[in-house]
Amino acid sequence: MQHRIVVLGAGYTGATAAGRIAKRLHREDVAITLVNAESDFVERVRMHQLAAGQDLAPRPFGEMFRGTGVSLKQGKVTAVDVDRRTVTVAALDATGEAMDEELEYDTLVYALGSGWNDQGVPGTAEHAHEIASRPGALRLRERLAGLAAGESVVVVGGGLTGIEAATEIAEARPDLAVALAARGGLGDWLSEKGAGHLRTVVDRLGITVHEHAAVTAVEAGHITTGDGTDIPAAVTVWTTGFAVHPIAQATTLEVTDTGQIVVDRTMRSVSHPDVYAIGDAALAMGPGDKPLRMSCASGVPGAWQAADAIAARLTGGKVPTVSVRYFNQCISLGRKDGLIQYVTADDRAVSSALTGRLAALYKEIICKGAAWGVAHPLLVPARRRRVVRETVVPESSPVGTAA
């Protein structure tokens, strides 16, 4: 009987894990099902480009996984029962009607990721745009296309996503009045060189920066900051962080207060040994005993770890463990400029930074490499191993400590 592996979510981490498991295990021994709401791979790190009017090359999963043994189930995950080992998926039937389908699994890889987080700020859900998803980016794209010269766009959030969105929009639409509202100082986590370059680019693009401006309300035509200041905003783009998919919190999995699944060093759930969580959905500890941030930079190595651990446990091999660490933060500043901030293993900025056109090229290579890596999850060919045994650790036994 085949070992049934179900992977939920086909973002960078889920798609990578499914493909890597398929290349590690003999096709006759496993049935790998990848569940995703869309039929194409979404380059989430490029959503600011899509919103600014650029077209992205389609990446159909049918082509990506052809001949790998990975079966794609297109539908929305509506429930997970980790005690019964089932997943409920709302999929479309032949007539286009949605119908619930229940999938059984022996091993589950939970990679449903995250979406935008409105932080509970009044009016955000009703009046702000998000670029954490392709539908959100496309809605913003349409709205921006309808703006007349001189109208205002305010990007709320001074992190990587906010900076990339503001600079991309300002470069693509120099006729608009683009502003950035940051809770802290502009680039205050960067090195002196990095922060200085960021400010130079922002000034060159004509972006108005509101620093130390916590937004307390969003209206149809403006935002309000904590000191009562109203900032005009024909369009508000909200980029103040991410919230994980709520399904895990409705299960008996051990999760954090924010809904992330607590995992051990191999990305295995500490409460349910047949469940692995990767990417934004997982709480994994990195260097300095700090939680890994929600990012492609930490999510993809976590996917490699989970896939290799699953393969090893099913084939009786030694389970590998790797330390996930950071090397740099890659920030696009429009299409012609960029900033590569080098960091310590635990993600603290060092003095070195790469800037300008070379940094923009570097970032583009990273983005292309990330998408290429989804379709090529092993850098070198590997022999598929046979499933010889299934090792299931009783829930009363320890399954490791956080990585």
Side-chain angles (χ1 to χ4, degrees):
M1 182 176 177
Q2 289 181 311
H3 186 91
R4 299 162 299 181
I5 300 174
V6 174
V7 182
L8 305 183
Y12 288 97
T13 60
T16 295
R20 194 173 177 98
I21 293 169
K23 289 184 178 295
R24 292 288 192 203
L25 300 175
H26 201 284
R27 196 169 300 173
E28 294 180 1
D29 295 343
V30 291
I32 304 170
T33 303
L34 178 61
V35 182
N36 197 60
E38 299 191 56
S39 60
D40 288 7
F41 175 68
V42 176
E43 292 185 82
R44 186 171 175 180
V45 297
R46 293 189 187 272
M47 289 301 96
H48 57 287
Q49 295 176 235
L50 185 64
Q54 298 165 45
D55 294 324
L56 305 181
R59 298 180 182 274
F61 285 121
E63 295 180 9
M64 190 176 293
F65 289 110
R66 182 175 292 121
T68 64
V70 176
S71 174
L72 180 68
K73 170 67 67 175
Q74 188 175 352
K76 181 180 179 181
V77 179
T78 58
V80 175
D81 189 329
V82 293
D83 300 313
R84 293 179 53 240
R85 295 187 182 183
T86 62
V87 174
T88 303
V89 179
L92 298 180
D93 62 18
T95 66
E97 294 292 324
M99 59 178 293
D100 283 344
E101 181 177 350
E102 191 172 83
L103 305 178
E104 297 180 337
Y105 66 83
D106 299 303
T107 296
L108 179 69
V109 181
Y110 187 105
L112 289 180
S114 63
W116 74 314
N117 187 353
D118 64 14
Q119 307 288 350
V121 174
T124 302
E126 295 82 6
H127 302 297
H129 288 266
E130 54 92 2
I131 55 171
S133 68
R134 179 158 59 183
L138 289 173
R139 285 191 292 269
L140 176 58
R141 177 192 181 109
E142 182 178 5
R143 182 71 179 94
L144 291 174
L147 292 181
E151 291 197 82
S152 55
V153 177
V154 177
V155 178
V156 181
L160 304 183
T161 305
I163 290 170
E164 291 194 326
T167 53
E168 198 77 47
I169 294 169
E171 182 184 85
R173 291 290 306 274
D175 58 319
L176 298 176
V178 179
L180 177 68
R183 179 181 291 272
L186 178 65
D188 56 7
W189 75 95
L190 298 169
S191 66
E192 182 178 351
K193 179 180 180 180
H197 182 72
L198 173 59
R199 196 170 292 276
T200 297
V201 174
V202 164
D203 290 344
R204 172 170 53 81
L205 292 173
I207 299 171
T208 301
V209 180
H210 302 276
E211 299 182 81
H212 308 288
V215 176
T216 56
V218 179
E219 300 292 342
H222 68 272
I223 63 171
T224 303
T225 61
D227 62 1
T229 301
D230 286 341
I231 301 173
V235 173
T236 299
V237 185
W238 195 266
T239 66
T240 63
F242 305 109
V244 300
H245 200 291
I247 284 182
Q249 207 156 24
T251 70
T252 56
L253 288 163
E254 183 175 334
V255 299
T256 66
D257 292 340
T258 59
Q260 287 181 295
I261 299 170
V262 183
V263 297
D264 67 11
R265 293 192 58 166
T266 66
M267 309 307 291
R268 195 183 206 181
S269 163
V270 298
S271 61
H272 291 73
D274 51 356
V275 176
Y276 292 74
I278 53 179
D280 293 355
L283 176 72
M285 305 303 287
D289 201 30
K290 294 166 57 177
L292 295 172
R293 62 179 165 89
M294 295 182 180
S295 67
C296 188
S298 54
V300 171
W304 298 338
Q305 172 65 76
D308 292 352
I310 290 169
R313 287 181 172 123
L314 291 178
T315 59
K318 182 180 179 180
V319 178
T321 56
V322 297
S323 296
V324 180
R325 58 151 296 161
Y326 297 99
F327 296 93
N328 51 48
Q329 295 179 8
C330 302
I331 311 170
S332 64
L333 303 174
R335 294 298 86 208
K336 301 174 183 178
D337 210 324
L339 168 60
I340 309 301
Q341 176 63 65
Y342 298 106
V343 298
T344 60
D346 62 349
D347 209 28
R348 290 175 291 113
V350 299
S351 59
S352 299
L354 181 67
T355 62
R357 288 183 177 270
L358 188 57
L361 176 61
Y362 186 113
K363 173 65 186 293
E364 181 62 20
I365 292 172
I366 292 295
C367 290
K368 288 182 176 179
W372 182 89
V374 172
H376 304 84
L378 287 179
L379 296 180
V380 295
R383 179 175 62 89
R384 288 184 171 88
R385 302 183 64 184
R386 303 302 300 253
V387 172
V388 296
R389 65 185 175 93
E390 298 179 27
T391 303
V392 177
V393 179
E395 292 188 22
S396 59
S397 300
V399 292
T401 57

